[in-house]
Amino acid sequence: MEHVEGKPNWRERRTRLMNRVHARRAVRARPATGFVSQPEPRTIGSFARGRQLIAGNFLFAGYLIEAPKTSMWDLTMPAPRFEQALHGFQWMDDLAAVGDMAARRRAQDWTWDWIDRFGRGTGSGWTPDLAGRRVIRWINHAIFLLHGQDSAHSRKFFATLGAQTIFLSRRWQCTEPGLPRFEALAGLIYAGLSLSGQAQYVAPAVKALSRECRTRIDAQGGLPTRNPEELLEAFTLLIWAAQALIESGQRPEKAHEEAIVRIAPTLRALRHADGALARFHGGSRGAEGRLDHALAAAGIRPEPHDGLAMGYLRLAGGRTTLIVDAAPPPAGAASVNAHASTLAFELTSGRRPVIVNCGPGATFGETWRRAGRATPSHSTLGIDGLSSSRLGVVGLGRGLRGEILHDLPNDVRIQRSSDDDELNLLLGHDGYVESHGLTHVRQLTLSRDGRTLEGEDTLGALTEADQAVFDRHMTQTQLQGVPFSIRFHLHPDVDGTLDMGGHAVSLGLKSGEIWVFRYSGDGELTLEPSVYLEAGRLKPRATKQIVLSGRVVESASQMNWTLAKAQDTPQAIRDIVRDDDDHLTLD
């Protein structure tokens, strides 16, 4: 669980102390001596990131260190997130994706350097979630790591793997529920099945993972955080653990299998036409190929999903997909990474994202993280200066403090209908009723051929009580009204240009498609700067946003707008490759 930076409280200090104690005890236990069985490597890395690592370019958590002749463990760690990324060893997937002699040499040097420095139970990498993540990579890539190594190195490798397995068996309960605990338990199952002398840890871990599936994966196949990327990571871990059990002649427990069955259709509903996940509540688009690989491994037949999927609704027409945040945001501790994104949407045409949310800014620092969580960073309507949910620092239990969402919309309503020509959504939320007496009502209509999206956004007082709140606000502001903005953030690859004397915006996609945005109503249209926040880059990408500005002065204001395709992708262009496919970018 993330928490506000500062001096650790006594519970945090105690957890760290107990992690150190159990880590040092674990390394004195009887070590593993080899593999009983070894699962097939299933983690997917990036060839481009692997080449950058070989060159000595370390880009993690939004920080770049160029040190071609330096071990990663000699680097000055710029932030805790950077250090955690190193200790988690996910970078091993990228080196394995390259797979040549230089990549193997780097992987071996950095792994045995870690063993020499931290293998005795020291360092910040001895937390259950990082240990689980690390153990999975070491086992997956053991052949890659042990190739050409002598028996002394092999003994060290297996002894340290065994120590981490014992550590996981004693400390997995101390991880936060959700993804960290799934990581710890999946790593424990992996190691217990694979290593000699560790089989006694498998059965308790299998039962614990089954309990987590029952308590954390809801009936609709979602997580309390409503983070699509986090759901994908949990799904992937459950698939890996299930496959490892089956390959060893065992079977996952029923709750484990049922969780996989529930999650698969939910993830399919959260996928755009380009294969990427919708970017909501702290989640990014997902590692390239991860979703397809996990769904294929699950072997669950695709079925239509017409209802809410973890609180989102998906419309698809022709080559166009639209995904809308159509439920209240997460609450309490589950909202520590959540966004004030109620009724925001993303739209993709074929392989090209068009309308997006700014995304999670955590890798660029706390300022960007907070900005990315606010309503103006999403493609929806917001009252100027106020988000539909507010951020506040509160206690989360277990001694943790964090910025969770509060003053949430209590009533989020949806109505879905369709006919032969179009798909309709009518949505509303009361996130501004308490402060201004105003409800946001949004109607979205997507044509069956995917060529036109029509929208109607209304901000109004719906009841006498709401009208009284609105009137008080009008009196306090000397009848200036309530200013609001409807934002449509464009993907960086979309070329937006004001057209028709400032009454329309032309959107040019790199596929050759042209879309045109128009509006009607008492408002102003502008094209303003925006940012696209995506992990794996050194800084946010500059982009633009369409902004419709208006003011509520007589209990309600309504804006109508359309986004219509004016020109198709030329037949000669095969629109199958995206320009922002997974690669490491240093600018």
Side-chain angles (χ1 to χ4, degrees):
M1 180 72 67
E2 296 185 29
H3 59 277
V4 175
E5 296 292 340
K7 187 176 180 180
N9 58 49
W10 72 269
R11 290 182 184 273
E12 292 174 286
R13 290 197 296 270
R14 184 179 185 280
T15 297
R16 294 177 186 178
L17 173 63
M18 295 308 296
N19 280 342
R20 288 198 296 270
V21 168
H22 282 284
R24 289 171 182 171
R25 286 178 179 173
V27 300
R28 293 197 295 268
R30 183 178 179 180
T33 56
F35 285 122
V36 176
S37 64
Q38 185 182 0
E40 287 292 320
R42 296 186 178 92
T43 49
I44 301 172
S46 162
F47 179 88
R49 285 201 303 267
R51 296 298 298 172
Q52 290 290 342
L53 280 170
I54 293 168
N57 295 319
F58 301 94
L59 178 58
F60 296 101
Y63 296 89
L64 172 66
I65 297 178
E66 298 179 80
K69 297 182 180 180
T70 304
S71 168
M72 64 166 54
W73 310 114
D74 287 326
L75 300 175
T76 299
M77 303 298 169
R81 289 176 184 272
F82 186 99
E83 189 170 11
Q84 290 164 9
L86 298 190
H87 282 282
F89 271 73
Q90 284 177 299
W91 47 263
M92 183 76 72
D93 298 335
D94 303 325
L95 292 177
V98 178
D100 61 12
M101 185 68 71
R104 181 183 291 113
R105 190 178 300 116
R106 288 283 194 180
Q108 291 173 337
D109 289 348
W110 292 338
T111 300
W112 268 270
D113 198 5
W114 189 93
I115 292 172
D116 290 339
R117 296 177 189 233
F118 310 115
R120 295 180 181 178
T122 61
S124 62
W126 286 89
T127 64
D129 52 333
L130 290 178
R133 200 179 306 168
R134 185 169 56 243
V135 160
I136 289 173
R137 268 69 191 182
W138 283 22
I139 294 173
N140 269 346
H141 303 301
I143 294 175
F144 183 62
L145 286 170
L146 293 173
H147 181 79
Q149 298 296 299
D150 58 27
S151 59
H153 281 87
S154 294
R155 283 196 299 272
K156 274 185 174 181
F157 178 78
F158 286 111
T160 309
L161 263 178
Q164 292 177 86
T165 306
I166 295 168
F167 172 77
L168 281 169
S169 73
R170 296 171 178 174
R171 296 298 290 167
W172 68 262
Q173 300 95 329
C174 298
T175 56
E176 289 297 318
L179 185 58
R181 191 166 291 181
F182 283 127
E183 287 185 309
L185 288 170
L188 181 54
I189 291 170
Y190 237 65
L193 291 171
S194 303
L195 299 171
S196 62
Q198 311 298 311
Q200 69 268 29
Y201 303 120
V202 175
V206 168
K207 289 187 179 299
L209 186 61
S210 179
R211 287 195 301 271
E212 290 300 306
C213 288
R214 283 195 301 271
T215 58
R216 299 300 293 180
I217 307 299
D218 64 26
Q220 287 74 44
L223 289 170
T225 61
R226 297 192 56 226
N227 181 329
E229 187 177 27
E230 189 174 299
L231 183 65
L232 170 59
E233 294 301 317
F235 182 66
T236 300
L237 290 165
L238 293 178
I239 292 291
W240 290 346
Q243 289 176 325
L245 286 165
I246 292 169
E247 288 170 2
S248 68
Q250 302 182 49
R251 181 168 184 147
E253 292 208 348
K254 184 178 180 181
H256 183 170
E257 293 179 325
E258 289 176 344
I260 291 172
V261 172
R262 292 198 305 274
I263 294 172
T266 298
L267 283 173
R268 285 193 173 97
L270 299 178
R271 180 172 58 175
H272 282 293
D274 65 342
L277 287 169
R279 292 156 32 100
F280 286 98
H281 293 297
S284 193
R285 66 187 300 269
E288 189 70 23
R290 176 72 61 83
L291 178 54
D292 287 335
H293 192 269
L295 289 172
I300 298 169
R301 206 172 104 191
E303 294 181 2
H305 196 301
D306 294 328
L308 282 172
M310 203 165 70
Y312 304 96
L313 280 172
R314 182 181 192 269
L315 300 182
R319 302 175 70 245
T320 304
T321 54
L322 177 81
I323 299 178
V324 188
D325 185 353
S335 72
V336 74
N337 290 312
H339 291 202
S341 58
T342 310
L343 305 196
F345 74 87
E346 292 193 317
L347 181 139
T348 296
S349 177
R351 298 286 295 175
R352 302 289 167 171
V354 183
I355 306 296
V356 296
N357 297 309
C358 291
T363 57
F364 306 110
E366 187 60 27
T367 300
W368 279 114
R369 179 175 179 269
R370 295 189 87 254
R373 299 178 70 187
T375 297
S377 294
H378 301 84
S379 294
T380 188
L381 178 148
I383 290 178
D384 293 354
L386 188 67
S387 287
S388 57
S389 300
R390 269 66 83 186
L391 295 178
V393 179
V394 298
L396 302 176
R398 300 183 65 177
L400 296 175
R401 293 178 64 81
E403 281 195 308
I404 69 170
L405 295 184
H406 63 96
D407 295 340
L408 310 176
N410 294 314
D411 189 5
V412 179
R413 300 194 179 189
I414 60 172
Q415 181 178 318
R416 184 169 182 167
S417 62
S418 62
D419 57 33
D420 292 341
D421 299 320
E422 57 191 26
L423 305 163
N424 301 289
L425 287 179
L426 180 62
L427 313 105
H429 78 80
D430 63 349
Y432 300 113
V433 167
E434 184 174 346
S435 60
H436 292 78
L438 298 173
T439 296
H440 176 204
V441 178
R442 164 164 272 187
Q443 184 165 343
L444 300 171
T445 301
L446 180 67
S447 62
R448 288 281 187 180
D449 60 11
R451 299 182 64 87
T452 304
L453 174 66
E454 297 179 354
E456 177 183 287
D457 283 292
T458 303
L459 193 61
L462 302 185
T463 68
E464 290 185 6
D466 295 347
Q467 184 68 50
V469 175
F470 176 73
D471 290 342
R472 285 197 299 271
H473 181 82
M474 289 290 286
T475 300
Q476 292 167 1
T477 60
Q478 298 180 341
L479 306 180
Q480 294 298 305
V482 179
F484 66 90
S485 298
I486 310 170
R487 301 176 186 273
F488 305 85
H489 294 274
L490 306 180
H491 188 271
D493 288 340
V494 177
D495 183 18
T497 307
L498 278 174
D499 208 349
M500 296 177 62
H503 288 83
V505 179
S506 294
L507 308 179
L509 280 56
K510 289 196 172 183
S511 63
E513 282 184 4
I514 302 293
W515 290 73
V516 178
F517 180 93
R518 296 183 177 89
Y519 80 102
S520 63
D522 188 13
E524 179 184 3
L525 174 67
T526 56
L527 192 60
E528 301 178 6
S530 182
V531 292
Y532 186 75
L533 305 170
E534 184 73 8
R537 292 183 178 267
L538 185 57
K539 58 186 179 182
R541 296 177 70 184
T543 185
K544 296 178 181 178
Q545 58 177 315
I546 300 168
V547 181
L548 283 177
S549 301
R551 192 175 290 269
V552 185
V553 293
E554 293 182 358
S555 76
S557 181
Q558 181 176 300
M559 292 275 211
N560 295 78
W561 49 267
T562 61
L563 182 62
K565 188 188 297 187
Q567 179 176 310
D568 283 316
T569 301
Q571 291 291 330
I573 297 178
R574 295 182 65 208
D575 187 18
I576 58 173
V577 178
R578 283 180 39 166
D579 296 317
D580 68 339
D581 279 345
D582 194 354
H583 65 286
L584 184 144
T585 303
L586 301 182
D587 55 10

